[in-house]
Amino acid sequence: MRRRTLLQAGAAGLLAAPLAEPKPAMAEPLRFPPGFVWGVSTSSCQIEGRGDRKADSIWDTFARIPGTIADHTTPEITCDSYHRYPEDVALLKGLGVKAYRYSISWPRVLPDGSGEPDPRGLDYYDRVTDALLQAGIEPWLCLFHWDLPQALQDRGGWGNRAIAGWFADYAQLMARRLGDRVRRWAMFNEPQVHAVMGHGLGEHAPGLHGSEPMAAAGHHQNLAQGRALQALRAHSDKFELGTVMSLQPVRPAQNLAADREAAAIWDAAWNRAYLDPLFRGTYPARFLPLVEKLVQPGDMAEIRQKIDFLGVNYYSPMFMRADPAGLLGTNWGALPVGMRTTAMTWGIDPTGLTDILSELRTQYGNPRVYITENGAFFREPPAGPSGRIDDQERIGYLRDHISAAHHAIAAGSNLGGYFIWTLVDNWEWAHGFTATFGLAQLDRATLTRLPKASYDWFARVAAANAV
Ligand code: GCO
């Protein structure tokens, strides 16, 4: 069963449970350590639109297939940040955040994926980066947020081991171009989501199914990450290098031996297949059989790299059940009775964030961590007389997760910052424009950005902690 459908089925049983009243915003925002970074995250495919890019990414191709995107939209225009990035930078400046994580569209700068760059694409990232610096906002660049050049998919994409070299070359191209202004580099965004949703369950581009393409996408992203980290490390000792993962506590849907095993398998495939190679140079035992044939001598040493930071994207825990027909014999299970959900039908549990941070502290050597995404989509009330959408549920969600982050620091986590997903309502992948995560609303007719109440709230949090 598809992920969306199943999570909805799980959540349907909860409708009878009363929804907790959203609490008012913190009167006094929590105090974080000096230097704690407040930021916002976006991604190229979700906000830029085509601009004058010639080449397709796999998401352009995927969105053209009927039935893949909930509202039948494509990433052709999205927020048109290609032209309207000055408005985005002004919004960031108004928020008072000092960091912005954005990503490069690989096909914008390399239409064929490798070889000849397109100067217009490189110029665009110059302009965005310069505008950020001028506004006093530090650029945090992510090299890959799922929009692979279609030209590379045509050569096998993440199923082709040669992609590790293509990715490292692309990383070096960007470092040569922007390395004089950009210090923070994230190699990947959520390789597990790209592997599972795009190559295992077929719900994201490139729409492949099965454990084999999923495992190949996993290993080759890990290898590409290792190669690019080495290349960028050699390029400059000033760089702060890291990568971003979606980490989610995985829990058994029911307290049954079969569900506990399903949760352990899924924890291996989702979290540890990416953490363990990077931090320990090994694959977890429950995942190893899937990649054994692909791992060549020297791979694990290349993948195990020193990083300066790990980006953690956190939204919710996962609840798994055994299902012989599902991917790896598992499937999404029902959420615990009474658990509140967002409109994505994702369970709300801020303690899941503290759990993840505590695991990184106790099991992975307490690396420097930044929460590089956290946010929520709720059905929003219409804009009030002020023109502002009063999104109190989002504010409640953010406040509770920021408090959880605060607890984690008190418990000894090496947490250095928190980035909200996201600035403006955007093109939410297979959900199209139907799932809105923005601090600002997007008027789809005029492409105007209209701040919501959460925008003002987050500005106060950032201001209270400005140093
Ligand atoms: C992800 C991506 C974002 C999403 C966000 C909301 O985590 O899936 O990094 O691109 O838009 O998470 O689903």
Side-chain angles (χ1 to χ4, degrees):
M1 201 189 293
R2 288 166 62 101
R3 176 174 196 242
R4 240 184 345 254
T5 330
L6 211 133
L7 286 176
Q8 271 153 7
L14 304 174
L15 285 181
L19 287 187
E21 275 299 303
K23 293 174 220 140
M26 280 186 277
E28 271 200 338
L30 293 168
R31 298 281 165 183
F32 281 77
F36 192 83
V37 178
W38 298 96
V40 176
S41 289
T42 64
S43 92
S44 45
C45 177
Q46 294 179 274
I47 65 163
E48 288 178 358
R50 187 174 294 270
D52 51 21
R53 170 165 58 83
K54 284 191 298 229
D56 279 349
S57 89
I58 54 175
W59 276 95
D60 295 296
T61 316
F62 185 70
R64 282 184 209 121
I65 303 170
T68 53
I69 311 296
D71 59 1
H72 317 292
T73 54
T74 69
E76 194 63 28
I77 296 176
T78 62
C79 307
D80 192 29
S81 290
Y82 183 82
H83 297 108
R84 291 168 188 262
Y85 69 88
E87 292 169 46
D88 295 342
V89 175
L91 275 177
L92 291 164
K93 199 168 178 189
L95 263 181
V97 295
K98 295 284 179 284
Y100 180 55
R101 182 177 73 110
Y102 55 117
S103 77
I104 305 276
S105 157
W106 187 346
R108 189 181 296 292
V109 295
L110 285 165
D112 299 323
S114 61
E116 217 31 60
D118 183 338
R120 296 170 311 174
L122 293 169
D123 288 350
Y124 168 65
Y125 292 109
D126 270 342
R127 292 196 293 279
V128 175
T129 304
D130 291 343
L132 288 167
L133 290 170
Q134 227 164 27
I137 298 162
E138 187 178 8
W140 289 52
L141 250 190
C142 178
L143 289 170
F144 185 73
H145 200 128
W146 310 349
D147 44 358
L148 189 75
Q150 180 59 40
L152 292 185
Q153 190 62 41
D154 297 342
R155 295 160 79 184
W158 292 108
N160 182 346
R161 189 181 162 86
I163 199 167
W166 301 331
F167 184 72
D169 290 347
Y170 155 58
Q172 289 178 79
L173 169 73
M174 297 317 303
R176 283 196 299 273
R177 182 65 175 226
L178 295 171
D180 57 336
R181 285 154 288 163
V182 175
R183 196 166 65 100
R184 314 264 192 175
W185 298 83
M187 304 301 105
F188 278 81
N189 176 74
E190 303 185 351
Q192 49 272 90
V193 177
H194 193 51
V196 170
M197 302 299 285
H199 298 75
L201 295 173
E203 291 187 35
H204 281 186
L208 303 180
H209 291 87
S211 56
E212 281 196 17
M214 177 192 75
H219 182 61
H220 294 145
Q221 286 182 97
N222 282 333
L223 188 62
Q225 173 182 287
R227 292 259 167 94
L229 282 168
Q230 293 171 78
L232 296 198
R233 195 65 81 193
H235 183 94
S236 166
D237 56 8
K238 305 265 180 325
F239 285 170
E240 293 267 314
L241 304 178
T243 197
V244 171
M245 297 185 190
S246 168
L247 299 179
Q248 299 187 244
V250 183
R251 299 176 183 150
Q254 290 187 63
N255 194 13
L256 303 170
D259 285 8
R260 283 197 298 273
E261 180 56 19
I265 291 172
W266 199 253
D267 182 38
W270 188 271
N271 296 312
R272 299 184 196 278
Y274 301 90
L275 287 171
D276 289 14
L278 177 61
F279 287 102
R280 300 174 179 164
T282 57
Y283 275 107
R286 285 186 175 84
F287 191 78
L288 186 59
L290 291 167
V291 280
E292 233 161 7
K293 286 198 308 271
L294 302 169
V295 178
Q296 295 190 7
D299 281 8
M300 299 316 290
E302 272 206 85
I303 296 173
R304 183 182 191 176
Q305 290 292 325
K306 180 190 159 296
I307 50 167
D308 303 307
F309 69 90
L310 177 69
V312 173
N313 294 354
Y314 177 78
Y315 294 88
S316 99
M318 283 177 167
F319 297 88
M320 301 306 287
R321 64 181 170 91
D323 173 6
L327 187 63
L328 307 181
T330 71
N331 216 325
W332 321 101
L335 310 185
V337 174
M339 179 173 262
R340 291 183 62 225
T341 67
T342 66
M344 295 298 267
T345 68
W346 296 347
I348 302 178
D349 184 3
T351 65
L353 175 58
T354 341
D355 290 353
I356 287 292
L357 294 173
S358 119
E359 278 216 26
L360 291 172
R361 177 165 57 81
T362 56
Q363 293 184 28
Y364 292 94
N366 205 13
R368 182 64 159 172
V369 168
Y370 296 89
I371 296 165
T372 35
E373 280 183 33
N374 176 241
F377 156 49
F378 292 98
R379 304 256 164 243
E380 286 168 339
S386 65
R388 289 274 201 265
I389 285 184
D390 193 18
D391 53 342
Q392 288 301 321
E393 286 189 290
R394 175 173 293 107
I395 291 174
Y397 178 99
L398 297 175
R399 183 207 50 231
D400 292 349
H401 286 79
I402 291 172
S403 302
H406 197 264
H407 288 309
I409 296 175
S413 273
N414 189 5
L415 177 65
Y418 173 94
F419 292 63
I420 287 197
W421 185 269
T422 187
L423 188 62
V424 179
D425 294 343
N426 65 28
W427 194 71
E428 176 62 27
W429 310 111
H431 295 271
F433 291 100
T434 66
T436 50
F437 279 81
L439 296 176
Q441 187 194 1
L442 177 73
D443 179 326
R444 295 242 349 261
T446 61
L447 298 172
T448 313
R449 288 95 160 107
L450 307 162
K452 304 176 189 174
S454 57
Y455 176 93
D456 301 325
W457 178 84
F458 191 52
R460 285 202 297 278
V461 174
N465 284 285
V467 278

